[in-house]
Amino acid sequence: MIPGDKSSARNTPISGDVQERTATEVMNDIKVILADSQFPEGYRWDVGGEMNYQNDMFSDLGKLSIFVFFLIFIQIAMQFYSLSLPLLVMSTVYLAVAGSLIGLFATRTPLGFVSMMGMIALAGIVVRNGIVFIEFIERSRQAGHELTEAVLLAGGARLRPILLTSATAVA
């Protein structure tokens, strides 16, 4: 084998099933062991399989979420004819993600594919609720209510439906 030449490299895949642990937890333990190991000249180890797929997926989701964020921002700006209201609605996404990460940390749940999909679903729910809430406020203001009164009316009218749809999504 020529060092650095991947075309003539031979590899030995090692696979296994993990029970009651995630692949990330097992791989972190394996990386500690392999980091302390001394390999002969020209030998190395690489991570593939599920871990490689998971890293690619997180990278792709990150890139896609930035693109989707701006598309949603443009759509809300066109709906409300404003740039400040979409900023207000989209700022709640960061609060939802922060709350999700705190919840994962508190329950000691690892960040994986399912938890990422849950965060994306939660972000969608939060944006939808924000749009409905702000639209209700705007209608109240057009009807002649002051801003504070419109916010209180919207909160009273929309709190129960928002809680019910959120509880339904969680269930």
Side-chain angles (χ1 to χ4, degrees):
M1 175 175 128
I2 303 169
D5 182 18
K6 293 183 180 182
S7 62
S8 63
R10 294 182 187 188
N11 55 35
T12 304
I14 299 173
S15 62
D17 292 325
V18 295
Q19 295 177 351
E20 299 181 15
R21 293 181 71 193
T22 64
T24 304
E25 293 172 334
V26 172
M27 199 61 222
N28 287 338
D29 292 345
I30 291 172
K31 284 181 181 178
V32 169
I33 295 169
L34 289 176
D36 294 337
S37 301
Q38 297 294 326
F39 291 101
E41 182 69 29
Y43 287 85
R44 63 185 172 82
W45 61 275
D46 285 322
V47 178
E50 183 179 336
M51 293 301 300
N52 199 21
Y53 174 73
Q54 182 177 351
N55 291 338
D56 291 344
M57 181 214 37
F58 282 148
S59 174
D60 292 343
L61 278 176
K63 292 174 189 172
L64 185 62
S65 66
I66 292 170
F67 179 68
V68 168
F69 182 87
F70 285 113
L71 283 179
I72 293 171
F73 182 87
I74 291 169
Q75 183 177 2
I76 297 171
M78 288 181 353
Q79 179 179 354
F80 291 117
Y81 301 107
S82 169
L83 291 177
S84 60
L85 291 178
L87 281 175
L88 181 65
V89 170
M90 297 307 281
S91 67
T92 60
V93 172
Y94 295 112
L95 296 173
V97 171
S100 299
L101 292 175
I102 290 170
L104 289 174
F105 178 74
T107 59
R108 299 183 189 270
T109 304
L111 183 64
F113 181 75
V114 175
S115 57
M116 286 294 291
M117 290 296 110
M119 280 189 214
I120 291 170
L122 177 63
I125 291 168
V126 166
V127 167
R128 183 183 51 78
N129 289 339
I131 291 170
V132 170
F133 192 72
I134 288 179
E135 188 169 353
F136 201 92
I137 292 171
E138 289 296 314
R139 285 185 184 170
S140 293
R141 291 202 56 198
Q142 289 172 357
H145 295 102
E146 291 294 321
L147 179 61
T148 306
E149 186 180 0
V151 170
L152 291 174
L153 286 172
R158 297 300 311 158
L159 179 63
R160 193 175 103 208
I162 286 173
L163 290 177
L164 288 174
T165 56
S166 298
T168 303
V170 168

